[in-house]
């Protein structure tokens, strides 16, 4: 199976590139952000809990995220692989993902790190907030999310380098150009 972790700061284009990857490689998509936003929309208990964290730009607790991830993963039948978008976001989540996949006789094939300069992230997220109305895409919350990214999520870069799964991708440029660089890396697997 082709198990891809798509990684990057908020606004780095994980969702956009994931859609293309799904289409080309015929794998399933897990976007933890989309899962949480759907729970909020449906007014579930989980959604209520998640909203408190998301509106503050904070991460949802690891134990909760890990359970959600495993249940979505196990809901896929006859899957050719999965793209993990927005997970892992902490070292504990990366370790849990490794364990969950190992228990199912699998592993992460590659981690794609979409690198985008901070000024560009700000511009993209503020624009997205205006277009989509996503409540966490306002300047104050974006700053908090970028801070959380640097302190809790960016350490995963070294973690995946150590696992020999790391692949840098230049996240600046046209959507096609970025996708071509991704395909080149994935096709080598
Ligand atoms: P991108 O724009 O690249 O898709 P993003 O950071 O803007 O990334 P999402 O991945 O949609 O957005 O996540 C939105 C919010 O959902 C996060 O700020 C966080 O509060 C919560 N969240 C999503 N995934 C996780 C996770 N793995 N662990 C903890 N919280 C998460
Ligand atoms: Mg997203």
């Amino acid at each position: 199976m082709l198990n891809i972790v798509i990684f990057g700061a908020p606004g780095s284009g994980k969702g956009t590139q994931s859609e293309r990857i799904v289409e080309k490689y015929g794998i399933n998509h897990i976007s933890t952000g989309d899962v949480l936003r759907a729970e909020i929309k449906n007014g579930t208990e989980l959604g209520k809990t998640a909203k408190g964290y998301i509106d503050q730009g904070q991460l949802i607790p690891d134990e909760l995220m890990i359970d959600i991830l495993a249940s979505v993963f196990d809901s896929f039948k006859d899957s050719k692989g999965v793209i993990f978008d927005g997970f892992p976001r902490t070292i504990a989540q990366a370790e849990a993902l490794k364990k969950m996949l190992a228990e199912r006789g699998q592993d992460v094939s590659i981690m794609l790190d979409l690198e985008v300069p901070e000024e560009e992230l700000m511009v993209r997220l503020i624009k997205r907030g205006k277009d989509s109305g996503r409540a966490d895409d306002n300047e104050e919350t974006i700053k908090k999310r970028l801070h959380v990214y640097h302190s809790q999520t960016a350490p995963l870069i070294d973690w995946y380098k150590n696992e020999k799964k790391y692949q840098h991708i230049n996240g600046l440029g046209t959507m096609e150009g970025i996708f071509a660089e991704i395909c080149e890396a994935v096709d080598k697997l």
Side-chain angles (χ1 to χ4, degrees), residues 15 31 34 37 85 128 134:
S31 161
D34 288 350
R37 282 185 288 276
D85 163 8
R128 185 171 77 186
R134 231 177 87 171

Side-chain angles (χ1 to χ4, degrees), residues 5 12 21 23 27 37-38 44 76 100-101 107 117 138 142 152 170 182 185:
V5 169
S12 56
I21 294 169
E23 199 182 323
I27 59 179
R37 282 185 288 276
T44 65
F76 299 139
M100 183 199 80
L101 290 174
D107 66 356
N138 63 77
I142 294 166
Q152 300 191 52
N170 179 7
I182 290 176

Side-chain angles (χ1 to χ4, degrees), residues 6-16 31-37 40 50-62 64-66 69 85-90 93 114 121 124-125 128 134 136-137 141 145 148-149 153:
I6 191 152
F7 183 87
S12 56
K14 299 184 291 286
T16 308
S31 161
T32 46
D34 288 350
V35 170
L36 296 171
R37 282 185 288 276
I40 293 172
K51 188 170 169 18
Y53 292 99
I54 292 177
D55 288 352
Q56 291 304 311
Q58 299 300 320
L59 298 180
I60 276 72
D62 286 333
L64 196 56
M65 275 327 297
I66 290 164
L69 187 93
D85 163 8
F87 189 101
R89 263 180 153 92
T90 61
Q93 291 182 13
L114 283 174
L121 294 172
R124 287 187 191 178
L125 291 169
R128 185 171 77 186
R134 231 177 87 171
D136 57 344
D137 285 340
T141 313
R145 285 156 63 205
V148 167
Y149 170 77
T153 307

Side-chain angles (χ1 to χ4, degrees), residues 88-99:
R89 263 180 153 92
T90 61
I91 301 271
Q93 291 182 13
E95 282 165 353
L97 177 61
K98 186 175 177 174
K99 181 162 171 271

Side-chain angles (χ1 to χ4, degrees), residues 1 8 19 26 45 73 90 119 127-128 145 171:
M1 282 176 61
E19 284 173 24
E45 277 308 309
F73 185 85
T90 61
E119 312 81 65
K127 180 173 186 301
R128 185 171 77 186
R145 285 156 63 205

